[in-house]
Amino acid sequence: MAVSTMSLAKEKNFIQENWKPILGIGATIGVTYVVWNIYKDFKSPNEDKSNTKDNTLVEDKKLPPSSISDAQALNIANQLQDAMGTIWSANDEERKRIKSLLSGLTYNDYIKVSDAFGKRGYITATGISKDSDWFAPKKNLNYWLSKELQPEDFAQLKKIIPQAF
């Protein structure tokens, strides 16, 4: 089917003549999306995915104790936040960094890192995080990972730390 030059000219003129309303509608949709996601974060702050009722992970006494120090756990937690604290979800390089930070950990090591991570501000709509953002709902490490990683990443992490994922 051939498109006439007349119809293309009409479409071009329509966009040129109505660019302000088109831009306004697009901006309104974008702002609505961000506000809705922030609202959902505050409406249901306890949607953190963890293995207990009170949304905290617990050390498994049947497994060997953690071999990392509190300082190492905090260092890994901060590096994870750096890798995940960019706009939108993590890109391939950041996802590889996240997986490499978690790859050498046992379940109890992961618990220690998760405890060191605590709950940090995370805006689901944008993926941006800052500890100083008073308006960002506080989320745990599992929640952050669920928003930043792809399903195939979780499949790989499940092979490394099966009890955590």
Side-chain angles (χ1 to χ4, degrees):
M1 174 177 1
V3 178
S4 70
T5 27
M6 189 61 138
S7 66
L8 287 177
K10 286 180 184 178
E11 287 180 27
K12 187 177 178 182
N13 286 339
F14 176 80
I15 293 171
Q16 284 177 341
E17 292 171 2
N18 298 295
W19 68 272
K20 287 181 182 178
I22 292 170
L23 187 62
I25 290 169
T28 302
I29 290 170
V31 168
T32 302
Y33 171 78
V34 170
V35 169
W36 174 252
N37 278 295
I38 291 171
Y39 167 75
K40 284 191 331 187
D41 281 347
F42 281 105
K43 181 179 174 201
S44 55
N46 294 326
E47 286 183 8
D48 297 344
K49 297 176 181 175
S50 357
N51 64 358
T52 63
K53 290 181 182 178
D54 64 351
N55 293 328
T56 57
L57 297 169
V58 292
E59 183 179 0
D60 189 345
K61 301 291 184 186
K62 297 175 190 169
L63 299 173
S66 177
S67 60
I68 61 174
S69 69
D70 292 341
Q72 289 171 317
L74 182 59
N75 184 32
I76 292 170
N78 289 337
Q79 288 183 50
L80 284 168
Q81 181 180 11
D82 289 343
M84 293 187 284
T86 57
I87 193 162
W88 311 122
S89 62
N91 62 33
D92 288 341
E93 185 178 315
E94 291 164 338
R95 288 174 33 222
K96 285 179 187 175
R97 183 173 172 215
I98 293 165
K99 289 185 287 187
S100 74
L101 287 166
L102 297 174
S103 66
L105 302 178
T106 65
Y107 174 76
N108 286 331
D109 291 340
Y110 178 77
I111 298 303
K112 198 171 215 180
V113 169
S114 181
D115 289 346
F117 190 88
K119 290 192 174 195
R120 301 183 184 193
Y122 185 83
I123 301 172
T124 306
T126 61
I128 296 174
S129 65
K130 298 288 181 199
D131 287 330
S132 61
D133 288 346
W134 58 270
F135 59 87
K138 306 293 185 207
K139 302 293 183 176
N140 71 14
L141 180 58
N142 279 2
Y143 183 87
W144 280 56
L145 291 172
S146 73
K147 296 300 180 183
E148 295 288 329
L149 297 178
Q150 302 296 323
E152 59 269 12
D153 299 325
F154 279 107
Q156 291 174 352
L157 289 174
K158 191 168 184 83
K159 291 176 186 174
I160 298 166
I161 314 172
Q163 304 90 337
F165 300 102

